[in-house]
Amino acid sequence: MRSNSKPQSPAQSSVNIKLILISAFFLLFLLLVFSTTSSTRQQQEPSPSSSISESHIANSTTACPSLPLTPSCTKAPPSLANALIHYATTNITPQQTFKEISVSARVLEKKAPCNFLVFGLGHDSLMWAALNHGGRTVFLEEDKAWIEQVKQKLAGLESYHVEYDTKVHQADALLETGMKEECKVVSDPRSSDCELALKGFPSEIYEIEWDLIMVDAPTGFHNDAPGRMNAIYTAGLIARNRAEGETDVFVHDVNRVVEDKFSKAFLCEGYLREQQGLLRHFTIPSHRARSGRPFCP
């Protein structure tokens, strides 16, 4: 995510993105306040029967003072408040464009709070956590020193250090490996016989049913970088292995050969829902819920 970012946009573009982000978070806060206020008023409005009862009591006893109509104070959720402060006080904006971010944001709007797994820890991580307010957002990052640096500023983000033992120059051989029958078998990645399956994550990564998965890491812009071959395959395997329902999987930087070929091969063109800029959105259904479903439709 961080190390794969494209060159910074012109200053005016960065300012525009920051203003859009701040506006979006502010609107989200207003929606939360409005929903809470509406709920409070509904709870305070008496039913017809209770109104009659109170009127009868008022006529036979001293009149009671009316209840205050002012709704209770609603605070901004910590994740939202932190995101507002962070993006309002920094010149660094997320690597994805507004249109690319909007693709994932629309899905989060429907599914949040939910379980959101992100490959990569970057400048957009706080934004993803805020958009998934009330849910669980987990980041998997290859650079241990970067994790520690981010934790000093944003301690509330849940992130784990992971290691990859592949190189981008091995992509063609790994793509061929992925065509073998053992790589078409849907299972927990830890028990898979496919060489592409990542097995070294914390155990809970495999045990949670993820509603969204974003693949924006590991590093993949030079031949000796780890590349996203295994990350893309494993994201697809995790999605297929859920008990029921479906998982939305996003892959960034699909202008590059690895991201392009591996997302088409293992997330399947038949599951492709949308491409916006350098981002592809796939919706992958559970393969356990319906036996005999082909790896790709």
Side-chain angles (χ1 to χ4, degrees):
M1 223 179 227
R2 170 186 52 85
S3 53
N4 289 312
S5 61
K6 302 179 288 300
Q8 286 290 326
S9 303
Q12 185 61 45
S13 176
S14 297
V15 171
N16 288 339
I17 293 176
K18 182 162 71 171
L19 288 174
I20 290 169
L21 284 172
I22 294 172
S23 299
F25 289 130
F26 183 69
L27 287 173
L28 177 60
F29 172 62
L30 289 179
L31 285 173
L32 288 170
V33 172
F34 178 76
S35 61
T36 304
T37 301
S38 298
S39 175
T40 303
R41 286 178 176 173
Q42 288 175 0
Q43 292 175 1
Q44 290 179 345
E45 288 177 358
S47 62
S49 60
S50 63
S51 296
I52 294 172
S53 176
E54 290 171 5
S55 176
H56 176 73
I57 293 173
N59 290 334
S60 58
T61 60
T62 303
C64 298
S66 59
L67 294 173
L69 297 178
T70 304
S72 59
C73 177
T74 302
K75 293 183 179 180
S79 60
L80 178 58
N82 290 337
L84 279 168
I85 295 170
H86 174 75
Y87 291 113
T89 57
T90 181
N91 291 323
I92 301 175
T93 54
Q95 290 90 347
Q96 294 186 27
T97 66
F98 173 73
K99 289 184 178 180
E100 291 168 353
I101 291 171
S102 297
V103 175
S104 309
R106 284 194 296 269
V107 178
L108 280 168
E109 184 180 5
K110 295 177 181 178
K111 291 192 169 184
C114 62
N115 294 320
F116 187 10
L117 179 64
V118 184
F119 285 78
L121 182 67
H123 300 302
D124 51 7
S125 297
L126 187 60
M127 176 189 68
W128 296 130
L131 291 174
N132 189 30
H133 171 66
R136 185 173 186 182
T137 307
V138 177
F139 302 92
L140 303 178
E141 171 60 39
E142 66 193 282
D143 189 338
K144 198 169 186 178
W146 174 245
I147 293 177
E148 294 305 317
Q149 185 178 337
V150 171
K151 280 186 175 180
Q152 291 178 4
K153 297 180 180 179
L154 306 170
L157 296 179
E158 183 179 0
S159 59
Y160 299 96
H161 176 240
V162 295
E163 297 180 347
Y164 302 91
D165 58 6
T166 55
K167 302 293 183 183
V168 169
H169 63 74
Q170 300 171 321
D172 289 339
L174 290 171
L175 186 61
E176 187 175 344
T177 295
M179 296 299 110
K180 296 179 180 178
E181 283 304 312
E182 59 264 31
C183 294
K184 306 297 183 182
V185 177
V186 175
S187 66
D188 186 313
R190 292 171 294 185
S191 59
S192 174
D193 292 326
C194 182
E195 293 180 28
L196 286 169
L198 293 168
K199 303 179 179 182
F201 296 158
S203 59
E204 57 190 312
I205 299 300
Y206 304 102
E207 294 162 3
I208 294 173
E209 290 198 343
W210 299 100
D211 302 296
L212 282 81
I213 302 177
M214 173 75 72
V215 181
D216 206 0
T219 309
F221 63 89
H222 60 88
N223 280 337
D224 289 325
R228 299 175 187 174
M229 300 80 69
N230 299 60
I232 292 172
Y233 173 83
T234 303
L237 191 58
I238 289 174
R240 290 179 176 88
N241 193 53
R242 65 181 298 152
E244 58 184 7
E246 60 186 24
T247 301
D248 291 280
V249 182
F250 306 88
V251 179
H252 195 224
D253 298 317
V254 295
N255 59 314
R256 301 193 303 218
V257 174
V258 167
E259 286 80 355
D260 176 41
K261 289 186 175 181
F262 276 73
S263 64
K264 288 179 178 177
F266 302 116
L267 302 181
C268 306
E269 292 184 78
Y271 291 142
L272 178 62
R273 293 293 173 263
E274 181 181 0
Q275 177 171 337
Q276 183 64 251
L278 306 184
L279 186 81
R280 280 187 190 144
H281 170 208
F282 300 82
T283 302
I284 302 179
S286 165
H287 282 219
R288 289 170 54 192
R290 197 184 86 183
S291 61
R293 191 190 293 267
F295 190 81
C296 283

